[in-house]
Coordinates of all heavy atoms in Angstrom, one line a residue:
G1 N 0.0 -7.6 -13.2 CA -0.6 -7.9 -11.9 C 0.3 -8.2 -10.8 O -0.1 -8.8 -9.9
D2 N 1.6 -7.9 -10.9 CA 2.5 -8.3 -9.9 C 2.2 -7.4 -8.6 O 2.0 -6.2 -8.6 CB 4.0 -8.0 -10.3 CG 4.5 -9.0 -11.3 OD1 3.9 -10.0 -11.3 OD2 5.5 -8.7 -12.0
L3 N 2.2 -8.1 -7.4 CA 2.0 -7.4 -6.1 C 3.2 -6.9 -5.6 O 4.3 -7.6 -5.6 CB 1.4 -8.5 -5.2 CG 1.2 -7.9 -3.8 CD1 0.0 -7.0 -3.7 CD2 0.9 -9.2 -2.9
L4 N 3.2 -5.6 -5.2 CA 4.5 -5.0 -4.7 C 4.6 -5.5 -3.2 O 3.7 -5.2 -2.4 CB 4.4 -3.5 -4.7 CG 4.5 -2.8 -6.1 CD1 4.3 -1.3 -6.1 CD2 5.8 -3.2 -6.7
P5 N 5.7 -6.1 -2.8 CA 5.9 -6.5 -1.5 C 6.4 -5.6 -0.5 O 6.4 -5.9 0.7 CB 6.9 -7.7 -1.7 CG 7.7 -7.2 -2.8 CD 6.8 -6.4 -3.8
A6 N 6.7 -4.4 -0.9 CA 7.4 -3.3 0.0 C 7.1 -1.9 -0.5 O 6.7 -1.8 -1.6 CB 8.8 -3.6 0.0
D7 N 7.2 -1.0 0.4 CA 7.1 0.4 0.0 C 8.4 0.8 -0.6 O 9.5 0.3 -0.3 CB 6.9 1.3 1.2 CG 5.6 1.1 1.8 OD1 4.7 0.4 1.1 OD2 5.3 1.7 2.9
G8 N 8.5 1.8 -1.5 CA 9.7 2.2 -2.1 C 9.5 3.5 -2.9 O 8.4 4.1 -3.1
V9 N 10.6 3.9 -3.5 CA 10.7 5.1 -4.4 C 11.2 4.6 -5.7 O 12.2 4.0 -5.8 CB 11.7 6.1 -3.7 CG1 11.8 7.3 -4.7 CG2 11.2 6.6 -2.3
L10 N 10.5 5.0 -6.7 CA 10.8 4.7 -8.1 C 12.1 5.3 -8.5 O 12.2 6.6 -8.3 CB 9.6 5.1 -9.0 CG 9.7 4.7 -10.5 CD1 9.7 3.2 -10.6 CD2 8.6 5.5 -11.2
I11 N 13.0 4.6 -9.0 CA 14.3 5.1 -9.5 C 14.4 5.0 -11.0 O 15.2 5.6 -11.7 CB 15.5 4.6 -8.8 CG1 15.6 3.0 -9.0 CG2 15.5 5.0 -7.3 CD1 16.9 2.4 -8.5
Q12 N 13.6 4.1 -11.6 CA 13.7 3.9 -13.0 C 12.2 3.3 -13.4 O 11.8 2.4 -12.8 CB 14.8 2.9 -13.5 CG 14.9 2.7 -14.9 CD 15.9 1.6 -15.2 OE1 16.4 0.9 -14.3 NE2 16.3 1.5 -16.5
G13 N 11.6 3.9 -14.4 CA 10.3 3.5 -14.8 C 10.1 3.5 -16.3 O 10.6 4.5 -16.9
N14 N 9.2 2.7 -16.8 CA 8.8 2.7 -18.2 C 7.3 2.6 -18.3 O 6.8 1.4 -18.1 CB 9.4 1.6 -19.0 CG 9.2 1.6 -20.5 OD1 8.8 2.7 -20.9 ND2 9.3 0.5 -21.1
D15 N 6.5 3.7 -18.4 CA 5.1 3.7 -18.5 C 4.4 2.9 -17.4 O 3.6 2.0 -17.6 CB 4.7 3.2 -19.9 CG 3.2 3.5 -20.3 OD1 2.7 4.6 -19.7 OD2 2.6 2.7 -21.0
L16 N 4.8 3.1 -16.2 CA 4.4 2.4 -15.0 C 3.0 2.9 -14.6 O 2.8 4.0 -14.2 CB 5.3 2.5 -13.9 CG 5.2 1.7 -12.7 CD1 5.2 0.2 -13.1 CD2 6.3 1.9 -11.7
K17 N 2.0 1.9 -14.5 CA 0.7 2.2 -14.0 C 0.4 1.2 -12.8 O 0.6 0.0 -12.9 CB -0.4 2.1 -15.0 CG -0.3 3.2 -16.1 CD -1.3 3.0 -17.2 CE -1.1 4.2 -18.2 NZ -2.1 3.9 -19.3
I18 N -0.1 1.8 -11.7 CA -0.2 1.0 -10.5 C -1.8 1.0 -10.1 O -2.4 2.0 -10.2 CB 0.6 1.6 -9.3 CG1 2.0 1.6 -9.7 CG2 0.3 0.8 -8.0 CD1 2.7 0.3 -9.9
D19 N -2.2 -0.2 -9.7 CA -3.6 -0.3 -9.1 C -3.5 -0.1 -7.6 O -3.0 -1.0 -7.0 CB -4.3 -1.7 -9.5 CG -5.6 -1.8 -8.9 OD1 -6.2 -0.9 -8.2 OD2 -6.2 -2.9 -9.0
E20 N -3.9 1.0 -7.0 CA -3.9 1.3 -5.7 C -5.2 1.2 -5.0 O -5.3 1.6 -3.8 CB -3.3 2.7 -5.4 CG -1.8 3.0 -5.9 CD -1.4 4.4 -5.6 OE1 -2.2 5.3 -5.3 OE2 -0.1 4.6 -5.7
S21 N -6.1 0.5 -5.6 CA -7.4 0.3 -5.0 C -7.5 -0.4 -3.7 O -8.3 -0.1 -2.8 CB -8.4 -0.3 -6.0 OG -8.0 -1.6 -6.3
A22 N -6.6 -1.3 -3.4 CA -6.5 -1.9 -2.1 C -6.3 -1.0 -1.0 O -6.7 -1.2 0.2 CB -5.4 -3.0 -2.2
L23 N -5.5 0.1 -1.3 CA -5.3 1.1 -0.2 C -6.2 2.2 -0.2 O -6.5 2.8 0.8 CB -3.8 1.6 -0.3 CG -2.8 0.5 0.0 CD1 -1.3 1.1 -0.2 CD2 -2.9 -0.1 1.4
T24 N -6.5 2.8 -1.4 CA -7.3 4.0 -1.5 C -8.7 3.8 -1.9 O -9.5 4.7 -1.7 CB -6.6 4.9 -2.6 OG1 -6.8 4.2 -3.9 CG2 -5.2 5.2 -2.3
G25 N -9.1 2.7 -2.5 CA -10.5 2.5 -2.9 C -10.8 3.1 -4.3 O -11.8 2.8 -4.9
E26 N -9.7 3.8 -4.8 CA -9.8 4.4 -6.2 C -9.6 3.3 -7.3 O -8.6 2.6 -7.2 CB -8.9 5.5 -6.3 CG -8.9 6.2 -7.6 CD -10.3 6.9 -8.0 OE1 -10.8 7.5 -7.1 OE2 -10.7 6.7 -9.1
S27 N -10.5 3.1 -8.2 CA -10.4 2.1 -9.1 C -9.5 2.5 -10.3 O -9.1 1.6 -11.0 CB -11.7 1.7 -9.7 OG -12.4 2.8 -10.3
D28 N -9.2 3.7 -10.6 CA -8.4 4.2 -11.7 C -6.9 3.8 -11.4 O -6.5 3.9 -10.3 CB -8.5 5.7 -11.9 CG -9.8 6.1 -12.4 OD1 -10.5 5.3 -13.0 OD2 -10.1 7.3 -12.3
H29 N -6.2 3.4 -12.5 CA -4.8 3.1 -12.3 C -4.1 4.4 -12.2 O -4.4 5.4 -12.8 CB -4.3 2.3 -13.5 CG -5.0 0.9 -13.6 ND1 -5.0 0.2 -14.7 CD2 -5.6 0.2 -12.6 CE1 -5.7 -0.9 -14.5 NE2 -6.1 -0.9 -13.3
V30 N -3.0 4.4 -11.4 CA -2.2 5.6 -11.2 C -0.8 5.5 -11.9 O -0.2 4.6 -11.7 CB -1.9 5.8 -9.6 CG1 -1.0 7.0 -9.4 CG2 -3.2 5.9 -8.8
R31 N -0.6 6.5 -12.7 CA 0.6 6.6 -13.4 C 1.8 7.1 -12.6 O 1.6 8.1 -11.9 CB 0.6 7.5 -14.6 CG 1.8 7.5 -15.5 CD 1.6 8.5 -16.7 NE 0.5 8.1 -17.5 CZ 0.6 7.3 -18.6 NH1 1.7 6.7 -18.8 NH2 -0.5 7.0 -19.3
K32 N 2.9 6.2 -12.4 CA 4.0 6.6 -11.6 C 5.1 7.1 -12.5 O 5.4 6.5 -13.5 CB 4.4 5.4 -10.8 CG 3.4 4.9 -9.8 CD 3.1 6.0 -8.8 CE 2.1 5.4 -7.7 NZ 2.0 6.3 -6.6
S33 N 5.8 8.2 -12.1 CA 7.0 8.6 -12.8 C 8.0 9.3 -11.8 O 7.6 9.5 -10.7 CB 6.6 9.7 -13.8 OG 6.0 10.9 -13.2
L34 N 9.2 9.4 -12.3 CA 10.3 9.9 -11.4 C 10.0 11.3 -10.9 O 10.4 11.6 -9.8 CB 11.6 9.9 -12.1 CG 12.1 8.5 -12.6 CD1 13.4 8.6 -13.4 CD2 12.3 7.6 -11.4
D35 N 9.4 12.2 -11.7 CA 9.3 13.6 -11.4 C 7.9 13.9 -10.8 O 7.8 14.8 -10.0 CB 9.5 14.4 -12.6 CG 8.6 14.1 -13.7 OD1 8.1 12.9 -13.7 OD2 8.5 14.8 -14.7
K36 N 6.8 13.1 -11.0 CA 5.5 13.5 -10.5 C 5.1 12.7 -9.3 O 4.6 13.2 -8.3 CB 4.5 13.4 -11.6 CG 4.6 14.5 -12.6 CD 3.5 14.6 -13.5 CE 3.7 15.7 -14.5 NZ 2.6 16.0 -15.4
D37 N 5.2 11.4 -9.4 CA 4.6 10.6 -8.3 C 5.5 9.3 -8.2 O 5.1 8.2 -8.7 CB 3.2 10.2 -8.6 CG 2.5 9.5 -7.4 OD1 3.1 9.4 -6.3 OD2 1.3 9.0 -7.6
P38 N 6.7 9.3 -7.5 CA 7.6 8.2 -7.5 C 7.3 7.2 -6.3 O 8.1 6.3 -6.2 CB 8.9 9.0 -7.3 CG 8.6 10.2 -6.5 CD 7.2 10.6 -7.0
L39 N 6.4 7.4 -5.5 CA 6.1 6.6 -4.3 C 5.3 5.3 -4.7 O 4.3 5.4 -5.2 CB 5.5 7.3 -3.2 CG 6.3 8.5 -2.6 CD1 5.4 9.2 -1.5 CD2 7.6 8.0 -2.1
L40 N 5.9 4.2 -4.3 CA 5.2 2.9 -4.6 C 4.9 2.3 -3.2 O 5.8 2.3 -2.4 CB 6.2 2.0 -5.4 CG 6.5 2.6 -6.7 CD1 7.6 1.7 -7.4 CD2 5.3 2.7 -7.7
L41 N 3.7 1.8 -3.1 CA 3.3 1.2 -1.8 C 3.0 -0.3 -1.8 O 2.5 -0.8 -2.8 CB 2.0 1.9 -1.3 CG 2.1 3.5 -1.3 CD1 0.8 4.1 -0.9 CD2 3.1 3.9 -0.1
S42 N 3.4 -0.9 -0.8 CA 3.2 -2.3 -0.7 C 1.7 -2.7 -0.7 O 0.8 -1.9 -0.3 CB 3.7 -3.0 0.6 OG 3.2 -2.4 1.6
G43 N 1.3 -3.8 -1.3 CA -0.1 -4.2 -1.3 C -0.8 -3.7 -2.7 O -1.9 -4.0 -2.8
T44 N -0.1 -2.9 -3.4 CA -0.7 -2.5 -4.7 C -0.1 -3.4 -5.8 O 0.8 -4.1 -5.7 CB -0.3 -1.0 -4.9 OG1 1.2 -0.9 -5.0 CG2 -0.9 -0.1 -3.8
H45 N -0.7 -3.3 -7.0 CA -0.5 -4.1 -8.1 C 0.0 -3.4 -9.3 O -0.5 -2.2 -9.7 CB -1.7 -4.9 -8.5 CG -2.1 -6.0 -7.6 ND1 -2.9 -5.7 -6.5 CD2 -1.7 -7.3 -7.5 CE1 -3.1 -6.8 -5.8 NE2 -2.4 -7.8 -6.4
V46 N 1.1 -3.8 -10.0 CA 1.6 -3.3 -11.2 C 0.6 -3.8 -12.4 O 0.5 -5.0 -12.5 CB 3.1 -3.7 -11.6 CG1 3.5 -3.2 -12.8 CG2 4.0 -3.2 -10.4
M47 N 0.0 -2.8 -13.0 CA -0.9 -3.2 -14.2 C -0.2 -3.0 -15.5 O -0.6 -3.7 -16.4 CB -2.1 -2.3 -14.0 CG -2.9 -2.4 -12.7 SD -3.2 -4.1 -12.1 CE -4.4 -4.6 -13.3
E48 N 0.6 -2.0 -15.7 CA 1.3 -1.9 -16.9 C 2.7 -1.3 -16.7 O 3.1 -0.7 -15.6 CB 0.6 -0.8 -17.8 CG -0.8 -1.2 -18.3 CD -1.5 -0.1 -19.2 OE1 -0.7 0.7 -19.8 OE2 -2.6 -0.1 -19.2
G49 N 3.5 -1.5 -17.7 CA 4.9 -0.9 -17.6 C 5.8 -1.9 -16.7 O 5.6 -3.0 -16.3
S50 N 6.9 -1.2 -16.4 CA 8.0 -1.8 -15.6 C 8.7 -0.7 -14.8 O 8.6 0.5 -15.2 CB 9.0 -2.7 -16.4 OG 9.5 -1.8 -17.4
G51 N 9.5 -1.1 -13.9 CA 10.3 -0.1 -13.1 C 11.2 -0.8 -12.1 O 11.1 -1.9 -11.8
R52 N 12.1 0.0 -11.5 CA 12.9 -0.4 -10.4 C 12.7 0.6 -9.2 O 12.4 1.8 -9.4 CB 14.3 -0.3 -10.8 CG 14.7 -1.3 -11.7 CD 16.2 -1.4 -12.0 NE 16.5 -2.3 -13.0 CZ 17.7 -2.9 -13.1 NH1 18.6 -2.6 -12.3 NH2 18.0 -3.7 -14.1
M53 N 12.8 0.1 -8.1 CA 12.6 1.0 -6.9 C 13.7 0.7 -5.8 O 14.2 -0.4 -5.7 CB 11.2 0.9 -6.3 CG 10.9 -0.4 -5.6 SD 9.2 -0.4 -4.9 CE 9.2 -1.8 -3.9
V54 N 13.8 1.7 -5.0 CA 14.6 1.5 -3.8 C 13.6 1.3 -2.6 O 12.7 2.0 -2.4 CB 15.4 2.9 -3.4 CG1 16.1 2.7 -2.1 CG2 16.5 3.1 -4.5
V55 N 13.8 0.2 -1.9 CA 12.9 -0.1 -0.8 C 13.1 0.7 0.3 O 14.2 0.9 0.8 CB 13.1 -1.7 -0.5 CG1 12.1 -2.0 0.7 CG2 12.6 -2.6 -1.7
T56 N 12.0 1.2 0.8 CA 12.1 2.1 2.1 C 11.5 1.5 3.2 O 11.8 1.9 4.4 CB 11.4 3.5 1.7 OG1 10.1 3.3 1.4 CG2 12.1 4.2 0.6
A57 N 10.5 0.6 3.2 CA 9.9 -0.1 4.3 C 9.3 -1.4 3.9 O 8.8 -1.6 2.8 CB 8.8 0.8 4.8
V58 N 9.4 -2.4 4.9 CA 8.7 -3.7 4.6 C 8.0 -4.1 5.9 O 8.1 -3.4 6.9 CB 9.9 -4.8 4.3 CG1 10.7 -4.4 3.1 CG2 10.8 -4.8 5.5
G59 N 7.2 -5.2 5.7 CA 6.4 -5.6 6.9 C 5.6 -4.6 7.6 O 4.8 -3.9 7.0
V60 N 5.7 -4.6 8.9 CA 4.8 -3.8 9.7 C 5.2 -2.3 9.6 O 4.4 -1.5 10.0 CB 4.9 -4.2 11.3 CG1 4.3 -5.6 11.5 CG2 6.2 -4.1 11.8
N61 N 6.3 -2.0 9.0 CA 6.7 -0.6 8.8 C 6.2 0.0 7.6 O 6.3 1.2 7.3 CB 8.2 -0.5 8.9 CG 8.7 -0.9 10.2 OD1 8.3 -0.5 11.2 ND2 9.8 -1.6 10.3
S62 N 5.7 -0.9 6.6 CA 5.1 -0.5 5.4 C 3.7 0.2 5.6 O 3.1 0.0 6.6 CB 5.1 -1.5 4.4 OG 4.1 -2.5 4.7
Q63 N 3.2 0.8 4.5 CA 1.9 1.5 4.6 C 0.8 0.4 4.9 O 0.0 0.6 5.7 CB 1.6 2.3 3.4 CG 2.3 3.6 3.4 CD 2.0 4.5 4.6 OE1 0.8 4.8 4.8 NE2 3.0 4.9 5.2
S64 N 0.9 -0.7 4.1 CA -0.1 -1.8 4.3 C 0.1 -2.5 5.7 O -0.9 -2.8 6.3 CB -0.1 -2.8 3.2 OG 1.1 -3.4 3.2
G65 N 1.3 -2.6 6.2 CA 1.5 -3.1 7.5 C 1.0 -2.2 8.6 O 0.4 -2.8 9.5
I66 N 1.1 -1.0 8.4 CA 0.7 0.0 9.4 C -0.9 -0.1 9.5 O -1.5 -0.1 10.5 CB 1.1 1.5 9.2 CG1 2.6 1.5 9.3 CG2 0.4 2.5 9.9 CD1 3.2 2.8 8.8
I67 N -1.5 -0.2 8.2 CA -3.0 -0.1 8.2 C -3.5 -1.5 8.9 O -4.3 -1.4 9.6 CB -3.4 -0.1 6.7 CG1 -3.3 1.3 6.2 CG2 -4.9 -0.5 6.6 CD1 -3.4 1.4 4.7
F68 N -2.9 -2.6 8.6 CA -3.2 -3.9 9.2 C -3.1 -3.8 10.7 O -3.9 -4.4 11.5 CB -2.5 -5.1 8.6 CG -2.9 -5.4 7.1 CD1 -1.9 -5.6 6.2 CD2 -4.3 -5.5 6.9 CE1 -2.3 -5.9 4.9 CE2 -4.6 -5.8 5.6 CZ -3.6 -6.1 4.5
A69 N -2.0 -3.2 11.2 CA -1.8 -3.1 12.6 C -2.9 -2.3 13.3 O -3.3 -2.6 14.3 CB -0.3 -2.5 12.9
L70 N -3.2 -1.2 12.6 CA -4.3 -0.3 13.1 C -5.6 -1.0 13.2 O -6.4 -0.9 14.1 CB -4.4 1.0 12.4 CG -3.2 1.9 12.5 CD1 -3.3 3.1 11.5 CD2 -3.1 2.5 13.9
L71 N -5.9 -1.7 12.1 CA -7.1 -2.5 12.1 C -7.1 -3.6 13.1 O -8.2 -3.9 13.8 CB -7.3 -3.1 10.7 CG -7.6 -2.2 9.5 CD1 -7.7 -2.9 8.2 CD2 -9.0 -1.6 9.8
G72 N -6.0 -4.3 13.4 CA -5.9 -5.3 14.4 C -6.0 -4.6 15.8 O -6.8 -5.2 16.6
A73 N -5.5 -3.4 16.0 CA -5.7 -2.7 17.3 C -7.1 -2.3 17.5 O -7.6 -2.5 18.7 CB -4.8 -1.5 17.4
A74 N -7.8 -1.9 16.5 CA -9.3 -1.5 16.6 C -10.1 -2.8 17.0 O -10.9 -2.7 17.7 CB -9.8 -0.9 15.3
G75 N -9.7 -3.9 16.4 CA -10.4 -5.2 16.6 C -10.3 -5.6 18.1 O -11.1 -6.0 18.7
D76 N -8.9 -5.4 18.6 CA -8.7 -5.8 20.0 C -9.5 -4.9 21.0 O -10.0 -5.4 21.9 CB -7.2 -5.7 20.3 CG -6.4 -6.7 19.5 OD1 -7.0 -7.6 19.1 OD2 -5.2 -6.5 19.5
D77 N -9.6 -3.6 20.7 CA -10.4 -2.7 21.6 C -11.8 -3.1 21.6 O -12.4 -3.1 22.7 CB -10.3 -1.3 21.1 CG -8.9 -0.7 21.3 OD1 -8.1 -1.3 22.0 OD2 -8.5 0.3 20.6
E78 N -12.3 -3.5 20.4 CA -13.8 -3.9 20.4 C -14.0 -5.1 21.2 O -14.9 -5.3 21.9 CB -14.2 -4.1 19.0 CG -14.4 -2.8 18.2 CD -14.7 -3.1 16.8 OE1 -15.1 -4.2 16.4 OE2 -14.7 -2.1 16.0
D79 N -13.1 -6.1 21.1 CA -13.2 -7.3 21.9 C -13.1 -7.1 23.4 O -13.8 -7.7 24.2 CB -12.1 -8.4 21.5 CG -12.3 -8.9 20.0 OD1 -13.4 -8.8 19.5 OD2 -11.3 -9.3 19.4
D80 N -12.2 -6.2 23.8 CA -12.0 -5.8 25.1 C -13.3 -5.3 25.8 O -13.8 -5.6 26.8 CB -10.9 -4.9 25.4 CG -9.5 -5.6 25.2 OD1 -9.5 -6.9 25.1 OD2 -8.5 -4.8 25.0
G81 N -13.9 -4.4 24.9 CA -15.2 -3.8 25.4 C -16.3 -4.8 25.5 O -17.1 -4.7 26.4
R82 N -16.3 -5.8 24.7 CA -17.4 -6.8 24.8 C -17.1 -7.7 26.1 O -18.1 -8.1 26.8 CB -17.3 -7.8 23.6 CG -17.8 -7.1 22.4 CD -17.9 -8.0 21.2 NE -18.1 -7.2 20.0 CZ -17.4 -7.5 18.9 NH1 -16.6 -8.4 18.8 NH2 -17.7 -6.7 17.8
D83 N -15.9 -7.9 26.4 CA -15.6 -8.7 27.6 C -16.0 -7.9 28.9 O -16.6 -8.6 29.8 CB -14.1 -9.0 27.7 CG -13.7 -10.0 26.6 OD1 -14.5 -10.7 26.0 OD2 -12.4 -10.0 26.3
R84 N -15.8 -6.7 28.9 CA -16.2 -5.9 30.0 C -17.8 -5.9 30.2 O -18.2 -5.8 31.3 CB -15.7 -4.5 29.9 CG -14.2 -4.4 30.2 CD -13.7 -2.9 30.2 NE -12.3 -3.0 29.8 CZ -11.9 -2.3 28.8 NH1 -12.6 -1.5 28.1 NH2 -10.6 -2.3 28.5
K85 N -18.4 -5.8 29.1 CA -19.9 -5.8 29.2 C -20.5 -7.1 29.9 O -21.4 -7.0 30.5 CB -20.5 -5.6 27.8 CG -20.3 -4.2 27.3 CD -21.0 -4.1 25.9 CE -20.6 -2.8 25.3 NZ -21.0 -2.7 23.9
G86 N -19.7 -8.2 29.6 CA -20.2 -9.5 30.1 C -19.9 -9.6 31.6 O -20.5 -10.4 32.3
D87 N -19.0 -8.7 32.2 CA -18.6 -8.9 33.6 C -19.7 -8.4 34.5 O -20.4 -7.5 34.4 CB -17.2 -8.2 33.9 CG -16.2 -9.0 33.2 OD1 -16.3 -10.2 33.0 OD2 -15.1 -8.3 33.0

């Protein structure tokens, strides 16, 4: 159940399964391997196995950071629209 704190590329893995439901909504665990699906995303959880990755993005530059920024921007637009209606 370890939370991945950054985006990265898998460079070594042993029967690695990831819960990506926080990003995709899909409840099935995703098997990660060097040849088929090596991308690991921040905000996801390691459910089985182990691995090492090269970090490619952190914070606002990661996939979860981008999503949170977009959600924040959408929330700001809605607030601005409400303020204009009251004027």
Side-chain angles (χ1 to χ4, degrees):
D2 288 337
L3 178 69
L4 292 176
D7 291 353
V9 178
L10 185 66
I11 59 170
Q12 181 183 14
N14 182 25
D15 195 30
L16 189 61
K17 292 182 184 175
I18 304 293
D19 177 2
E20 295 183 344
S21 62
L23 295 178
T24 64
E26 181 61 44
S27 60
D28 293 338
H29 298 160
V30 179
R31 182 179 301 272
K32 298 292 182 169
S33 66
L34 299 175
D35 55 344
K36 291 190 178 184
D37 189 7
L39 297 179
L40 302 171
L41 301 173
S42 62
T44 61
H45 290 87
V46 176
M47 302 310 290
E48 291 182 28
S50 62
R52 290 182 184 211
M53 72 176 188
V54 173
V55 173
T56 58
V58 298
V60 296
N61 296 315
S62 68
Q63 286 299 306
S64 61
I66 291 168
I67 290 169
F68 288 132
L70 290 171
L71 289 173
D76 291 345
D77 290 345
E78 290 176 11
D79 290 341
D80 291 343
R82 289 183 192 138
D83 290 342
R84 284 188 208 121
K85 289 177 186 175
D87 289 338

